[in-house]
Amino acid sequence: MTASPSTAQTLTARIETLYGHPLAALEAHAEATPHDSMLAALLGSLADLQLAERSITFHRDRLRQLAHPDRSIEAFDAGHLLDNARRISEAVAVRDAHTKTLSAVLQSLHRIPVPTSEPAPAPPPVPAPASAARTR
């Protein structure tokens, strides 16, 4: 069974499509430019999203270890179980917040078509409105 792509992978693909370059090239470009750009903001939020996803995976795996059926649960373990469950909940909330924000920003951004070397034809002239006849 293949794993479905993570939210971060899906949003990474959308960023790469928007900017027309792979993530590594975008990160290199963002490091060389001022950090007050939209690209830097997107990459920062993406990094936070990836961290949240890694945290979910780590604490989920740790929770599975602690709650393994062959393992006895003592009073000391109960605190660890509760702590890991709380950390998973926090990481899911962080992931969802970053996903919502990144998705909204990416939805509002569109790739601008590359201008052609030929100028666009000028629109036809609009006739001037007829002047009202003056009466004396």
Side-chain angles (χ1 to χ4, degrees):
M1 179 169 132
T2 58
S4 62
S6 70
T7 304
Q9 289 170 330
T10 302
L11 291 174
T12 296
R14 288 178 62 188
I15 292 170
E16 289 174 338
T17 300
L18 177 68
Y19 283 91
H21 296 288
L23 186 63
L26 294 173
E27 289 172 337
H29 176 72
E31 287 180 15
T33 59
H35 295 288
D36 58 350
S37 69
M38 178 59 72
L39 177 59
L42 287 172
L43 294 177
S45 271
L46 181 63
D48 292 340
L49 173 61
Q50 291 167 332
L51 179 62
E53 286 186 344
R54 285 192 305 271
S55 182
I56 291 167
T57 301
F58 174 81
H59 291 293
R60 181 198 62 214
D61 292 345
R62 182 66 181 136
L63 190 59
R64 284 180 179 159
Q65 288 173 348
L66 291 169
H68 194 274
D70 296 337
R71 191 170 190 270
S72 65
I73 298 177
E74 305 297 328
F76 180 75
D77 298 320
H80 288 292
L81 287 164
L82 182 61
D83 184 53
N84 276 277
R86 180 186 56 78
R87 289 176 188 251
I88 289 171
S89 176
E90 290 171 356
V92 167
V94 169
R95 180 200 60 197
D96 291 350
H98 282 291
T99 299
K100 184 177 181 179
T101 301
L102 273 169
S103 294
V105 171
L106 288 170
Q107 184 70 28
S108 71
L109 299 174
H110 303 284
R111 192 161 179 167
I112 299 172
V114 177
T116 61
S117 58
E118 299 175 16
V126 178
S131 305
R134 288 188 160 177
T135 56
R136 290 189 189 206

